[in-house]
Amino acid sequence: MTYGVNAPLGLQAASYGISAPWTGGFQVFPITANYGTSLFLGDLVTFTNGQLVRYNTSGSSTIPAGVFWGCTFTDPSGIVQIQKYWPAAQAVKVGTTPVANVIVDPNTVFSIQSSAAFAWSNLDKNFDVTFATAGNPSTGESGMMLDYSSVGTTATLPLHAIAFDPIPGNAPAVGGTSVSFANILVKLNNTTINAGSTGV
């Protein structure tokens, strides 16, 4: 993960719970063939009329389902493709259904870059996300960031900030103010399978 510069990578799975390693667990959901919005590894996703779609931008009342973690589809020539991201309006072989891997477990801890300087006092608060930067088709990585301006205690916000990612130099010194574009460890707060908790 990057920090200190504006270079988001979306929600990157970091651990399971506070200290256990993340084992790669996810659920599989169908994607509508030719779905017209790209889905990048680390994007929040949700459902509309039972179909998996990208979570709306900051300020939306939509509830996320989890974090997109790649997909599998059969292209029109019959070759199975396993990719980090779903290209917008991707064509698939007739009669086949593309599927997405989605991390839904609320115990998964993610690292995500803040859109602005993040202070110690913002920990244990809740946040929304922003897609200020587009995902990268070359790497398949998301451009989603934690939306610093959305900080609050509202239980319906999708992310809960736990700690600074323990990368050397990522957190401000004790007594310090904040770090620009810091990486923050978060958990999914309010999702379609887990009711959100109020921040502190």
Side-chain angles (χ1 to χ4, degrees):
M1 295 290 289
T2 57
Y3 68 93
V5 295
N6 186 2
L9 295 173
L11 285 152
Q12 296 291 313
S15 65
Y16 186 79
I18 299 302
S19 58
W22 183 63
T23 58
F26 52 75
Q27 295 291 322
V28 175
F29 297 103
I31 305 172
T32 302
N34 300 114
Y35 174 59
T37 300
S38 294
L39 301 173
F40 291 91
L41 188 133
D43 278 354
L44 277 182
V45 289
T46 186
F47 294 101
T48 296
N49 297 322
Q51 302 298 319
L52 192 73
V53 297
R54 193 178 77 162
Y55 175 75
N56 289 333
T57 54
S58 179
S60 168
S61 60
T62 303
I63 300 174
V67 178
F68 180 83
W69 208 248
C71 62
T72 302
F73 60 88
T74 304
D75 68 23
S77 64
I79 299 174
V80 175
Q81 303 286 345
I82 301 174
Q83 295 197 31
K84 280 188 172 182
Y85 88 108
W86 167 262
Q90 172 65 49
V92 299
K93 185 177 180 180
V94 175
T96 66
T97 301
V99 295
N101 306 323
V102 181
I103 304 172
V104 299
D105 195 322
N107 292 308
T108 304
V109 175
F110 300 89
S111 182
I112 184 172
Q113 189 170 77
S114 174
S115 64
F118 199 98
W120 289 107
S121 59
N122 294 316
L123 296 177
D124 287 324
K125 298 291 194 300
N126 296 336
F127 294 85
D128 206 333
V129 299
T130 179
F131 290 89
T133 304
N136 188 337
S138 297
T139 64
E141 303 283 357
S142 170
M144 187 183 72
M145 306 178 80
L146 178 147
D147 183 4
Y148 178 81
S149 67
S150 68
V151 60
T153 59
T154 308
T156 53
L157 289 167
L159 302 181
H160 180 75
I162 301 171
F164 285 90
D165 195 330
I167 305 168
N170 181 59
V174 175
T177 54
S178 60
V179 170
S180 295
F181 300 116
N183 287 347
I184 308 303
L185 295 180
V186 301
K187 293 178 72 174
L188 297 176
N189 184 50
N190 187 48
T191 71
T192 55
I193 65 168
N194 185 65
S197 298
T198 301
V200 177

